[in-house]
Amino acid sequence: ESSLPGVGSPDLVTIPFLSGERSTGFRNGATGVVMGLTRRTTSAHLMKSCLEGVALRLKAVIELILQARGSVAVSSVDRVLPTVIASGKSLEVNSMWRQMIADCSGLSILFDPDTAEATSRGVARLLMAALASEERGSHLELEEEELTLTEPLRPRAAAHDYFKKAAASQSKLINAVVPLWDEK
């Protein structure tokens, strides 16, 4: 498994909370943690672990979203799974990270290279629809946008198994350090 591109060392676990946790636990005092550093740890191992740490937190958020809408991230013949549409410079220049997110989430990842500030635009469109519906008393239908998408990156089974174990390790580490964050 460690020879798979985008899969790092299971002994190195990163919690990427550099500004507190803003996703599943909402812990303002949370800080970043890297566990498992040794003399043999290289800068490439550390970088890959940081990217994996973020991918694992995205996986946690995606799982909550799928749970809320009644879907599960397990493929089946008769179920169409959601696809993640990604944008942003970091994901544009790092296809390895996009593949990690696909492997980690178990979902296909499409990249939209023409979208800049996707989050801001999405929030603006939702706000526009909400304001219009408040004014008119009815729901505003937004036009579908034309996207320029790359070929999908599909999750790889062996890497997905690796990320299941990595998610469990990260979760255990988060639970272990929560009391330290709570002391602050």
Side-chain angles (χ1 to χ4, degrees), residues 62-121:
I62 289 168
E63 286 176 348
L64 288 174
I65 291 168
L66 293 176
Q67 183 180 18
R69 68 181 288 256
S71 300
V72 291
V74 177
S75 59
S76 73
V77 176
D78 57 351
R79 174 176 281 192
V80 177
L81 291 175
T83 298
V84 175
I85 299 177
S87 65
K89 192 64 173 178
S90 296
L91 291 171
E92 178 182 356
V93 299
N94 195 333
S95 63
M96 181 183 77
W97 199 14
R98 291 195 312 266
Q99 183 65 58
M100 277 184 193
I101 295 168
D103 293 338
C104 188
S105 68
L107 301 174
S108 294
I109 305 292
L110 296 169
F111 182 74
D112 181 8
D114 294 335
T115 301
E117 298 299 324
T119 303
S120 299
R121 189 179 75 226

Side-chain angles (χ1 to χ4, degrees), residues 148-161:
T148 306
L149 301 173
T150 60
E151 286 295 311
L153 292 174
R154 303 197 190 289
R156 303 168 297 175
H160 187 63
D161 290 343

Side-chain angles (χ1 to χ4, degrees), residues 40-54:
R40 288 175 274 138
T41 303
T42 66
S43 59
H45 293 135
L46 188 56
M47 175 60 111
K48 197 176 280 189
S49 180
C50 289
L51 294 175
E52 286 180 1
V54 173

